[in-house]
Amino acid sequence: MTTKPRTLALFCTLAFLAACGQSETADKQKGLSENPNTGNTITRNNTAEPQSLDPHQITGIPEINIIRDLFEGLVQTDEKGGIQPAIAKSWESKDNKTWLFHLREDAKWSNGEPVSAEDFVYSWRRLVDPKTGSPYASYLQAAKVANIDDIIAGKKSPDTLGVKALDTHTFEVTLDAPVPYFPKLLFHAATKPVPKKAVEQFSNKWTQPENMVNNGAYKLSKWVVNERIELVKNPQYYDAAVVKTDKIVHLPISSQSEDVARYQAGEIDITDALPPEQYAKIKSEHANELKTSPMLCTYYLELNNSKAPFNDVRVRKALSLALDRNTLAEKVLGRGEEPAYNYTRVGTAGFVPNVPEWSRWDYARRIEEAKKLLQEAGYSEAKPLTFSYLYNTSEQHKKIAVAIASMWKQALGNVDVKLENQEWKTYTDSRRNGNYQLARASWCGDYNEPSTFLNTLRSGHSSNRAKYSNPAYDALLDQTLQAGTDDNTRSKLYTEAEAVIDKDTAIIPTHGFVNSRLVKERIGGYSTEDVLNELPSKRLFVK
């Protein structure tokens, strides 16, 4: 699941952001100074204006946070990140290649029509259809759904995808290879159903409040661009009785300082990540409201492997060696973040980290080697290494970028970094289109298994913004799903794949996330045990 805002990656057109049939003028006159936290309402900071609310046009965390409230797939996660039934009440497979999902008879769309197996057939075909242009089309490649490779390559039509409605409530999926963890993949936004009639009738405008039909715990009631998105309880939801909060408000506040200030003013119930420079004070003053938990997310520097200067592995390796990850995690951030030497987040189920030899060197030796590599690549005081560093507008991302650029300048001397910030939508488009040299990025696990990270660096993968390609790396990941591969062998192959990433310096992992938020004491249902950081609003309630 993406960049954070998830990974973090990257997307569609501004057509999805139309002003949704509401009176924006009246809303803006009211402004956000109006306290929304009255009655049975919970207000959450979502950090950015979503690019879209179409599950097939998004990969970022700000989008997925809202999709999670609006749509429900075959499975969902519990408070600890485990998989449990959702629209599918049960599933089975004898060979890990052919899977049968038995759907609930009481699942309905918000217009009262039943959710059927055919809805999933339509939705998955739409996801992989090149005409859709989904940035997550490759998601079903990782799942090895039959014919997916040829469909994405344009060699076969989407209706040849290995999905079938055996009857109204039985959905069959056929894979090209056994994937024992297949159900773990299916809580992700990309695999959730979309309403065929609404999509075909309203085209790009189907996500506007007056047009949207959805099957989740909440319905979209208001979308004021760059101001707020409001959701109300969906009476057609099959489990509506357990949904205790009538209204959810998502705010697009990118400034962490503003986020905390609005929280302290009583305008927000749940913040996003906390500003590092205020963390100690917040921890002292709001100990009972500070919630910290592990998180399957890795922050990294995305290098455009297809463009100079980062098409030279010596340059990539030099910058990785000269990055002081301990100082970054402990001094610049200081909220429990951990230095990262692997793309896959330490703690992911079934993952044994690769330990690079150079990570054991002292910093002086690493700097010496980095200088040697840059010199071999042709850089010197007379010809400094010059490149742009792209990040999305955020106090924290700016702080990290300034710190890293300073490290490189101080350690290597002949490195000139131009910092460039862009708003979330522009930033994601720049990365998606390859219009960058180095960009800050992050990836949060879409499911709790190493392939959720490693597959995104496969050659040609739709989330491979680094433009990295190594057949040996692809072959290792192919082996993980070969017949007879057991869990221990699969784990060793994942470690070998991480070693290849390190050898090539395909990307530069910097640190692993922790999830630290302020949560009002009046809010119940907040879990600190979910490493996937799902936190659907339907779990939350006002005490």
Side-chain angles (χ1 to χ4, degrees):
M1 358 94 199
T2 76
T3 351
K4 181 170 169 62
R6 215 168 214 135
T7 164
L8 325 190
L10 327 166
F11 323 53
C12 59
T13 67
L14 296 178
F16 292 98
L17 302 176
C20 311
Q22 303 294 332
S23 173
E24 288 192 33
T25 302
D27 287 319
K28 288 179 179 178
Q29 286 175 347
K30 292 179 183 178
L32 287 177
S33 58
E34 162 186 15
N35 189 342
N37 299 340
T38 56
N40 199 5
T41 297
I42 294 177
T43 300
R44 309 174 60 170
N45 178 25
N46 197 36
T47 75
E49 174 66 24
Q51 282 220 333
S52 172
L53 293 182
D54 183 334
H56 298 159
Q57 294 294 346
I58 58 100
T59 64
I61 285 179
E63 292 80 14
I64 289 174
N65 285 342
I66 301 173
I67 295 295
R68 186 183 297 124
D69 288 347
L70 293 172
F71 294 90
E72 190 162 292
L74 295 169
V75 303
Q76 60 188 336
T77 60
D78 60 22
E79 291 81 356
K80 295 186 178 182
I83 296 299
Q84 62 181 22
I87 300 300
K89 60 184 179 182
S90 64
W91 51 87
E92 62 201 48
S93 178
K94 296 179 180 179
D95 57 3
N96 290 329
K97 287 185 67 175
T98 300
W99 292 83
L100 292 180
F101 294 87
H102 304 284
L103 309 190
R104 309 178 60 98
E105 290 82 0
D106 57 350
K108 296 179 182 179
W109 292 101
S110 54
N111 61 4
E113 296 182 2
V115 176
S116 69
E118 194 59 48
D119 290 321
F120 284 92
V121 172
Y122 165 76
S123 300
W124 287 24
R125 287 176 177 173
R126 179 179 184 260
L127 170 66
V128 303
D129 191 337
K131 294 179 182 177
T132 303
S134 174
Y136 250 107
S138 293
Y139 192 75
L140 296 186
Q141 270 185 308
K144 296 294 181 181
V145 178
N147 295 325
I148 180 65
D149 292 343
D150 287 340
I151 293 170
I152 289 179
K155 297 177 181 178
K156 291 185 178 180
S157 65
D159 61 9
T160 64
L161 187 68
V163 294
K164 184 186 299 183
L166 299 185
D167 56 45
T168 303
H169 296 106
T170 308
F171 179 55
E172 180 186 77
V173 184
T174 303
L175 310 182
D176 284 328
V179 181
Y181 51 84
F182 180 65
K184 285 186 177 182
L185 281 69
L186 303 183
F187 72 89
H188 189 266
T191 66
K192 295 184 179 182
V194 297
K196 180 178 180 180
K197 290 181 182 177
V199 171
E200 294 183 345
Q201 180 177 356
F202 299 108
S203 188
N204 288 350
K205 295 183 178 181
W206 80 268
T207 56
Q208 295 182 5
E210 65 270 26
N211 300 332
M212 179 176 280
V213 175
N214 61 291
N215 73 327
Y218 290 90
K219 299 192 301 179
L220 179 63
S221 64
K222 180 181 292 187
W223 185 354
V224 183
V225 174
N226 292 321
E227 193 167 314
R228 67 181 176 271
I229 286 177
E230 297 181 2
L231 313 178
V232 295
K233 185 174 176 179
N234 177 11
Q236 297 291 346
Y237 181 55
Y238 69 87
D239 214 10
V242 306
V243 181
K244 303 301 183 184
T245 306
D246 294 331
K247 183 178 179 181
I248 302 294
V249 181
H250 290 276
L251 303 181
I253 302 171
S254 61
S255 166
Q256 293 176 339
S257 297
E258 181 184 352
D259 187 14
V260 172
R262 298 275 291 278
Y263 176 88
Q264 293 173 328
E267 298 176 9
I268 293 174
D269 292 305
I270 303 174
T271 70
D272 192 65
L274 303 174
E277 62 275 8
Q278 296 182 37
Y279 186 75
K281 183 179 180 182
I282 289 171
K283 187 175 182 180
S284 173
E285 296 180 352
H286 299 277
N288 293 336
E289 299 163 73
L290 180 61
K291 306 293 184 182
T292 301
S293 59
M295 198 172 174
L296 288 189
C297 295
T298 301
Y299 199 105
Y300 63 97
L301 303 180
E302 188 172 66
L303 310 167
N304 192 331
N305 285 236
S306 67
K307 287 184 177 181
F310 298 117
N311 55 355
D312 188 329
V313 66
R314 295 170 297 187
V315 176
R316 303 195 299 266
K317 178 64 74 177
L319 293 185
S320 180
L321 289 168
L323 177 62
D324 187 346
R325 292 164 174 80
N326 289 324
T327 295
L328 181 65
E330 297 169 10
K331 305 298 183 182
V332 178
L333 295 170
R335 299 167 301 188
E337 288 86 353
E338 301 172 346
Y341 299 91
N342 290 259
Y343 182 29
T344 305
R345 179 73 165 99
V346 174
T348 301
F351 178 58
V352 178
N354 171 59
V355 182
E357 179 186 356
W358 60 263
S359 69
R360 301 187 180 98
W361 299 351
D362 61 41
Y363 192 52
R365 182 181 175 187
R366 287 163 53 184
I367 296 305
E368 180 182 356
E369 180 65 18
K371 288 180 176 179
K372 178 182 175 183
L373 288 169
L374 284 185
Q375 186 176 20
E376 290 176 358
Y379 296 98
S380 63
E381 290 186 11
K383 182 189 175 183
L385 173 63
T386 304
F387 59 89
S388 63
Y389 178 133
L390 175 65
Y391 64 94
N392 56 296
T393 303
S394 156
E395 295 167 356
Q396 175 172 287
H397 298 321
K398 180 180 180 179
K399 184 174 184 177
I400 292 171
V402 169
I404 290 176
S406 177
M407 287 178 191
W408 286 333
K409 186 68 175 177
Q410 183 175 352
L412 302 174
N414 56 331
V415 176
D416 292 332
V417 184
K418 177 186 177 183
L419 300 183
E420 178 183 3
N421 72 292
Q422 295 177 347
E423 292 302 318
W424 174 245
K425 298 171 209 169
T426 307
Y427 154 84
T428 54
D429 284 339
S430 294
R431 289 180 57 218
R432 184 179 187 182
N433 296 322
N435 296 329
Y436 76 96
Q437 290 178 294
L438 180 150
R440 86 92 203 164
S442 57
W443 190 263
C444 296
D446 293 324
Y447 48 96
N448 193 1
E449 213 272 343
S451 60
T452 187
F453 291 89
L454 299 174
N455 280 329
T456 66
L457 288 178
R458 279 182 176 270
S459 302
H461 193 282
S462 60
S463 293
N464 186 352
R465 312 301 179 195
K467 311 299 181 185
Y468 173 64
S469 180
N470 184 335
Y473 177 81
D474 299 339
L476 282 171
L477 295 185
D478 288 342
Q479 289 179 52
T480 65
L481 295 178
Q482 289 179 0
T485 301
D486 58 24
D487 291 344
N488 288 335
T489 301
R490 186 177 297 110
S491 179
K492 291 177 181 177
L493 290 167
Y494 289 143
T495 305
E496 290 180 39
E498 285 284 358
V500 174
I501 294 173
D502 174 66
K503 179 182 177 182
D504 293 344
T505 317
I507 58 171
I508 302 177
T510 63
H511 60 276
F513 281 68
V514 291
N515 182 19
S516 295
R517 289 190 174 113
L518 285 171
V519 180
K520 292 291 186 184
E521 292 187 90
R522 78 187 192 102
I523 303 301
Y526 186 95
S527 172
T528 58
E529 299 181 79
D530 183 0
V531 296
L532 292 168
N533 195 37
E534 278 287 281
L535 196 65
S537 296
K538 71 175 184 177
R539 287 190 204 152
L540 305 173
F541 58 91
V542 178
K543 295 178 182 178

